[in-house]
Structures are given as C-alpha cells and as structure tokens.
Amino acid sequence: MTNLFTVRVLAGAALVLLTTQCATTVEKDSPDSRRVVASAVPATTPAAPAAATPAPAPGAPADAGAVASAAPAAPAPVEPAARKTNADYKAEIRTADAMLKSAPRNADALLVRAKAKSHLKDYKEAIVDYNTLLRIKPTNAEAYYNRGLTRLKLKEYTPAISDFSKALKYNPTDKEALFGRGAAKMQLFNFGSAIPDFTKAIALDANYADAYEYRGICYSSINKPKEAKLDLEKATTLNPEAAKSLRRYTGNE
C-alpha cells in the first residue's frame, strides 16, 4: 500500500496539472468547443505505488518543490485557429461593459466578460460575474463549468466539484465537466472517488487520453498496479506524452 506521504504527493500532483498546466484547459467559448486539459490535474506524484520516492502525478516530484517539474506534458489546448491575446480579452471586457450598462441582466455579456477576466487571471472578479449570471440563468451549464475551472485556479476544490456537478446536472454528457470534477477530487486526495468520473468520461469518448492517464494515476495511488498499467499504456497509445506517467507510475523509471 502507498504510504501517507506518497498519497499526499500524488494528490499534490493532481493540483499542479489542473491549475498549473491551464494551457491545456480551455474555457469553452461554446459548449461544444470546451476541453478540460491536463492542466487541471496534479503535477506531483510518486514514481509508482510501490516506490517510496514520490513522482509527479499528472506530475509530482520527491519533494514539494520538484512537483511541477515532474508533471507530464499536457495535451495541446483545443482553441480557435487564431489564439486570442490579452488585448483581445480586454477589448471583450470593454464591449461587455458597454452592453451591461444598458442591459445589466444580459447573460451573454456576463459570460463573455467572466471568461475574459479569467483568461486575464482576474479570477475573483470572474467569479463575481459568474455568480450574477447564474442568478439570472440558474440552469446555464456552461457558466457552472467555467466557474468550476476558475475555482480550480483559485484552489477552491470543493466548490469546483459542486460547480462541475451542477454543469453535469444540466448537461449530463459533458465529458470535460466529468474530467474537471475528477481532477478536483484528486486535489483533495479522493482518488477512489475520482475514478468513476474518469470512467464516465471515457465512456463518452473512448479516445480521451487525459482521462485514461489520470485514472491510471488514481489506480496507482490506491495500489492497483495492474489497472494503472493498463490505463497508462492506453493513454500512451493515444498521447505519447503520457509515456512519462507510464514510466513513473509503473515503476519502470
């Protein structure tokens, strides 16, 4: 069985990937374009369940400082051909501000402004806009999903789990919300509870490399090496970058 230190390292890894590699996590501009990236998963994990030295989970090193460096590379983010700049996001905020002056309850403008603020790392102000939007449209799955991502960046894992759960209530087939919820659970060391979320995401997309990788890391953390190996091998066939986790979590490093 993995010792307490190892488990903590694994959980820490889940955090780094989910919050540090946000490049892989794309806040969707539309429900169909969303993709939770490996950025939402821990970047610190021990080498393998049997190893005493921690290895990064979606990235975790032997010590807290080494965590981020050991994290596996996150898959390329799914974004529009023309990547937006900070200037673009600031322009979106100005446009939304103008619209909201005349129509304070314009949910679309609130969503655009909230996402732009989040991209600019103004997370707390983004949360304020998401809160206002959800008071106006309490069944908006996209707003819950994006607020969940923002809360992950703020390391508010329990509220993030709640948001992803609400997003799934109104959009049950949102594989990214399932992945985000699983990643948030990893941050809280709830590896066993995260596994069903990744499993459901895989059921919706049999080629979801990140879900296989993170589920494999969860299996490794709860001392299920066979299941971990199978998942990490599958993740590697879908995304060669997952080979880092395969070597680390199956003790072949």
Side-chain angles (χ1 to χ4, degrees), residues 4-14 42-46 54-57 59-62 67 189:
L4 181 58
F5 174 70
T6 293
V7 170
R8 285 177 175 171
V9 173
L10 284 168
T44 23
T45 310
V67 173
F189 312 94

Side-chain angles (χ1 to χ4, degrees), residues 156-242:
E156 297 175 354
Y157 305 122
T158 298
I161 290 171
S162 176
D163 275 344
F164 289 129
S165 294
K166 288 174 182 174
L168 287 163
K169 175 181 179 180
Y170 300 113
N171 183 9
T173 59
D174 187 343
K175 67 178 184 179
E176 287 83 8
L178 284 163
F179 179 86
R181 188 170 68 179
K185 288 176 179 178
M186 289 179 77
Q187 302 304 329
L188 296 174
F189 312 94
N190 295 331
F191 300 108
S193 178
I195 288 173
D197 284 334
F198 296 131
T199 298
K200 290 175 185 176
I202 290 168
L204 292 168
D205 180 357
N207 296 314
Y208 203 159
D210 294 341
Y212 280 110
E213 183 177 2
Y214 296 152
R215 189 175 69 174
I217 291 171
C218 284
Y219 277 132
S220 176
S221 74
I222 60 174
N223 199 34
K224 289 193 174 184
K226 291 182 180 179
E227 291 87 342
K229 186 171 185 291
L230 287 173
D231 271 355
L232 292 169
E233 287 179 337
K234 176 66 174 180
T236 301
T237 63
L238 295 169
N239 173 22
E241 288 295 336

Side-chain angles (χ1 to χ4, degrees), residues 90-106:
K90 290 176 182 178
E92 289 182 348
I93 290 174
R94 289 194 296 272
T95 299
D97 285 343
M99 294 178 67
L100 290 165
K101 280 185 179 180
S102 58
R105 294 175 63 81
N106 186 319

